[in-house]
Amino acid sequence: MDFYMLNNFGTSNEQKPRKPIDKEKLIKIISITSVVLIILVIVVLYINNIKFREFFDKYIFRKEVYENNLDTILLQEEDTNYSYAFDKTIAVLSKNKLKLYNSSGKEEHSLGVEINTPIFGANGKYLAIAESKGHKVYLVADNNIIWQKDIEGDITKVEVNKNGYVAIVVSNTSYKSEIIVYDLNGNELFNRYLALDYAIDVSISEDNKYLSIAKANFTGTLIQSSIEIFLIETKNSEFNYQAESNKLIVNIEYQEKNKLVCMYDDSIHIIENNNDTEFMKYDSKNTLFMGINLDSCVAQVDKISSGLFNSNSSVKFTNISTNVSSSYELGGVPKTMYSYKDIVAVNLGTEVTFVKTSGWLSKRYKSSREVQNIILTNNIAGIVYKNKIEIVKL
């Protein structure tokens, strides 16, 4: 029995032979780990190091583009040309012809429109075009004219929502302003006359239910601005907000979830569920431009002092729901700013910087001459010169 126990004890302590190391598997694990670490380092450097990010944007991501190296639409210099961008299309109006070009600069269609000096409004695939201080208005989509109207009075503004509903502001009638709303098929849904106020801006909600009118009364010693919201179906006034005296309303825009963003000359307000809230104030001395024609945020370009003789600027985006901000340093003082949905274009003279609302660079365009005008959508931008339009794909 003792012999059995000893023998059993000895057997239990025998060491099993070790398996040989799988060198191929080990090399694979080390390689994957190294690649992950390298990517992680690159991401950290890209986020935190400006010079590193600029190098990658220029040479790796190819975000820098140059004049004369892009798809181009040629224009007749002797003609008067008006251009606008919507969806993935660039529209050029000249001599009562509206020519539609794709993102490669190829003409796809030509439409006859009786308009000489246009007012444009665009949203998604819809383009509304009207005669400035005239009577004609058209709605264009999918290379076709959906409908056209002759309006009594002088058209001063046209707006369209993402579903093709159009709001038109008219002046020089027996009232200060008149606002008319049409549906996608050109049926008149709403008509409102303003006896004492001028309509500064209008906006239709994304669900087609509400029309908001930004108004200003200049008859007294102080300016009186107000915003009125109507239920289009019943034509009833749902909400009327009177701003402080001498506070001028500049622009209004429906953004996500029917939030109405209202820009005044010194602040941004948001109207939601018939409640008006001041979202932010801004100082006109340091804030050069503001933009609210975006999806879910407000954009502002601020001047930054960078020395006794040097000045710089940055574009800042603030989400209207979370109040979270992101910013991008521009490296100069801009001449103009354009905003649309989730992108902002900042004209710095011979350079245009396109920045996403996330705070990241989309594209940078460089030219040998001053940029005069930019047309912009989420998908493309046009750098407009007298003799050509250069197309930047975003």
Side-chain angles (χ1 to χ4, degrees):
M1 188 175 180
D2 291 340
F3 173 78
Y4 173 77
M5 290 180 65
L6 286 170
N7 186 50
N8 203 31
F9 177 79
T11 304
S12 65
N13 280 278
E14 286 180 359
Q15 291 187 352
K16 294 180 180 179
R18 293 183 180 179
K19 288 184 179 180
I21 296 172
D22 189 339
K23 292 183 180 180
E24 190 174 324
K25 187 176 180 181
L26 182 62
I27 290 169
K28 193 178 288 186
I29 291 170
I30 292 170
S31 299
I32 292 171
T33 305
S34 300
V35 169
V36 170
L37 286 172
I38 290 168
I39 292 171
L40 196 61
V41 169
I42 289 171
V43 169
V44 170
L45 284 171
Y46 186 84
I47 292 170
N48 296 294
N49 190 300
I50 294 174
K51 289 187 176 180
F52 184 87
R53 183 164 62 244
E54 287 177 350
F55 176 86
F56 253 66
D57 284 343
K58 184 176 180 178
Y59 296 105
I60 307 300
F61 297 142
R62 303 291 182 184
K63 291 185 178 182
E64 201 162 282
V65 295
Y66 301 89
E67 182 190 7
N68 299 323
N69 285 319
L70 300 169
D71 291 324
T72 302
I73 300 168
L74 297 177
L75 305 175
Q76 296 295 324
E77 286 191 62
E78 62 271 16
D79 296 339
T80 302
N81 299 291
Y82 300 93
S83 57
Y84 207 77
F86 67 106
D87 199 20
K88 297 178 182 178
T89 302
I90 289 179
V92 178
L93 175 67
S94 181
K95 296 180 177 178
N96 291 336
K97 287 287 184 183
L98 185 70
K99 294 182 179 181
L100 305 177
Y101 298 85
N102 63 22
S103 59
S104 297
K106 181 183 177 183
E107 183 182 333
E108 291 193 324
H109 217 72
S110 180
L111 305 173
V113 294
E114 296 178 40
I115 289 178
N116 295 308
T117 307
I119 303 172
F120 293 106
N123 200 325
K125 70 175 185 176
Y126 296 104
L127 174 70
I129 175 172
E131 179 71 44
S132 177
K133 298 182 180 177
H135 314 294
K136 291 191 177 293
V137 60
Y138 298 79
L139 180 65
V140 175
D142 300 321
N143 293 333
N144 292 301
I145 296 172
I146 297 178
W147 55 258
Q148 64 181 82
K149 300 286 180 183
D150 287 297
I151 309 294
E152 290 186 14
D154 296 341
I155 300 171
T156 58
K157 194 170 187 63
V158 60
E159 291 286 336
V160 58
N161 79 349
K162 69 174 186 177
N163 301 312
Y165 280 55
V166 176
I168 301 167
V169 179
V170 182
S171 64
N172 284 341
T173 64
S174 54
Y175 297 88
K176 298 289 186 185
S177 295
E178 178 185 359
I179 298 92
I180 312 167
V181 176
Y182 295 96
D183 68 11
L184 177 58
N185 299 312
N187 301 310
E188 185 178 314
L189 301 177
F190 182 93
N191 199 312
R192 179 71 174 180
Y193 299 95
L194 304 180
L196 301 174
D197 301 323
Y198 290 94
I200 304 299
D201 197 13
V202 290
S203 188
I204 303 172
S205 63
E206 291 187 347
D207 60 7
N208 312 323
K209 290 183 178 180
Y210 300 100
L211 170 74
S212 290
I213 306 173
K215 303 178 290 183
N217 189 318
F218 301 100
T219 55
T221 55
L222 298 176
I223 298 169
Q224 182 60 60
S225 296
S226 62
I227 296 169
E228 193 165 9
I229 300 177
F230 294 88
L231 189 63
I232 292 175
E233 185 179 6
T234 63
K235 302 177 177 61
N236 291 331
S237 177
E238 295 284 301
F239 178 75
N240 198 340
Y241 172 77
Q242 298 285 328
E244 297 173 13
S245 295
N246 224 29
K247 190 180 178 78
L248 180 62
I249 184 72
V250 177
N251 190 11
I252 59 173
E253 189 75 28
Y254 272 108
Q255 292 192 15
E256 61 170 20
K257 298 178 182 177
N258 282 351
K259 292 178 182 178
L260 184 69
V261 183
C262 311
M263 183 166 73
Y264 293 88
D265 54 354
D266 64 350
S267 62
I268 302 290
H269 286 228
I270 295 175
I271 296 175
E272 184 182 11
N273 298 324
N274 291 342
N275 289 310
D276 179 275
T277 305
E278 184 179 89
F279 181 65
M280 67 165 64
K281 278 190 169 294
Y282 59 91
D283 181 3
S284 58
K285 291 180 181 179
N286 295 317
T287 299
L288 304 174
F289 303 102
M290 295 291 300
I292 63 171
N293 186 28
L294 296 160
D295 271 338
S296 57
C297 67
V298 172
Q300 65 185 99
V301 175
D302 290 325
K303 187 165 54 177
I304 303 170
S305 177
S306 56
L308 188 60
F309 301 106
N310 296 321
S311 55
N312 203 344
S313 62
S314 69
V315 57
K316 178 183 176 183
F317 303 98
T318 306
N319 188 285
I320 62 170
S321 296
T322 63
N323 209 21
V324 173
S325 296
S326 60
S327 62
Y328 183 88
E329 194 166 318
L330 294 166
V333 178
K335 296 170 62 178
T336 51
M337 184 193 81
Y338 306 80
S339 60
Y340 185 81
K341 299 300 182 184
D342 72 346
I343 198 159
V344 158
V346 183
N347 182 2
L348 295 161
T350 58
E351 180 181 305
V352 181
T353 303
F354 299 92
V355 186
K356 291 284 188 180
T357 54
S358 57
W360 296 108
L361 178 71
S362 175
K363 283 285 172 67
R364 180 180 288 111
Y365 171 88
K366 291 194 172 184
S367 174
S368 60
R369 50 180 166 164
E370 291 279 326
V371 173
Q372 299 301 319
N373 188 28
I374 303 163
I375 51 180
L376 179 69
T377 77
N378 262 12
N379 304 294
I380 57 173
I383 310 299
V384 183
Y385 299 99
K386 190 170 178 61
N387 63 336
K388 66 178 179 179
I389 300 173
E390 295 211 318
I391 301 170
V392 180
K393 295 179 179 68
L394 302 172

